[in-house]
């Protein structure tokens, strides 16, 4: 006789064809896998079926019972099962996530931009001091441009909320 795997069922209040949406997760034990989630289909419409294969869903056998009994006046509350958080972007072979790689690449681009631009301005154009920074005029105007953009968005949102068309009053 085969035993059905344990399942988790989530029911949402949103209705599809007068039936609540439902997701059923079959939990499958595999000591060789950290985690794998596969979608098995939608049968019937609005009833989604998944299989979660992981070593974390395996039922652990209780330790062998000892012949000591606790005193009658003490009771132990049942302990909730421990869950482990897993980072889906890392593996045991590669502990660096995609976000870390992107951060390092952006930092390298900024350092390269500053080093190459400053060297060019210093050696080819003879610029000294803060004039040696590449595109200095642009970088000085960036805070003002950001402020103007934010103010533009704020006034547009306020005009949509209040019904006015802008900063002038009608006569």
């Amino acid at each position: 006789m085969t035993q059905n795997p344990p399942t988790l069922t989530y029911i949402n209040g949103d209705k599809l064809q007068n039936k609540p949406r439902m997701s059923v997760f079959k939990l499958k034990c595999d000591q060789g896998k950290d985690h794998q989630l596969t979608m098995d289909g939608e049968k019937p419409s609005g009833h989604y079926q998944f299989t979660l294969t992981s070593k974390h869903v395996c039922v652990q056998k209780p330790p062998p019972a000892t012949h000591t009994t606790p005193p009658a006046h003490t009771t132990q509350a049942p302990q909730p099962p421990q869950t482990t958080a897993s980072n889906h972007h890392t593996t045991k072979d590669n502990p660096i996530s995609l976000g870390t790689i992107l951060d390092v690449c952006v930092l390298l681009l900024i350092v390269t931009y500053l080093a190459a631009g400053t060297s060019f301005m210093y050696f080819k154009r003879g610029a000294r001091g803060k004039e040696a920074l590449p595109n200095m005029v642009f970088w000085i105007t960036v805070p003002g441009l950001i402020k103007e953009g934010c103010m533009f968005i704020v006034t547009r949102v306020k005009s949509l909320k209040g019904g006015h068309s802008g900063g002038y009053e009608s006569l």
Side-chain angles (χ1 to χ4, degrees), residues 6 10-11 20 27 36 41 54 60 75 82 87 97 107 109-110 113-114 121 144 147-148 153-155 159 166:
Y10 297 97
I11 299 174
L27 305 178
Q36 177 185 6
S54 174
Q60 297 179 2
T75 58
Q82 292 183 347
N87 186 345
S97 69
L107 183 63
L109 285 173
I110 291 170
Y113 166 77
L114 288 174
M121 295 294 288
K147 179 184 174 191
E148 286 180 22
I153 292 171
V154 167
T155 56
S159 70

Side-chain angles (χ1 to χ4, degrees), residues 74-155:
T74 61
T75 58
Q76 293 181 349
Q79 298 295 321
Q82 292 183 347
T83 58
T84 58
S86 62
N87 186 345
H88 298 288
H89 302 291
T90 62
T91 63
K92 291 178 184 176
D93 299 335
N94 183 14
I96 299 175
S97 69
L98 178 62
T100 302
I101 293 170
L102 290 176
D103 288 345
V104 169
C105 289
V106 168
L107 183 63
L108 285 174
L109 285 173
I110 291 170
V111 169
T112 303
Y113 166 77
L114 288 174
T118 303
S119 297
F120 175 79
M121 295 294 288
Y122 186 85
F123 292 113
K124 294 289 184 180
R125 302 250 170 111
R128 300 293 184 258
K130 65 181 177 180
E131 285 79 24
L133 291 174
N135 302 312
M136 182 194 66
V137 174
F138 169 76
W139 291 112
I140 289 174
T141 60
V142 165
L145 294 171
I146 291 172
K147 179 184 174 191
E148 286 180 22
C150 291
M151 292 303 294
F152 175 77
I153 292 171
V154 167
T155 56

Side-chain angles (χ1 to χ4, degrees), residues 36-47:
Q36 177 185 6
L37 180 65
T38 56
M39 182 170 184
D40 299 329
E42 182 180 1
K43 303 170 211 156
S45 181
H47 186 169

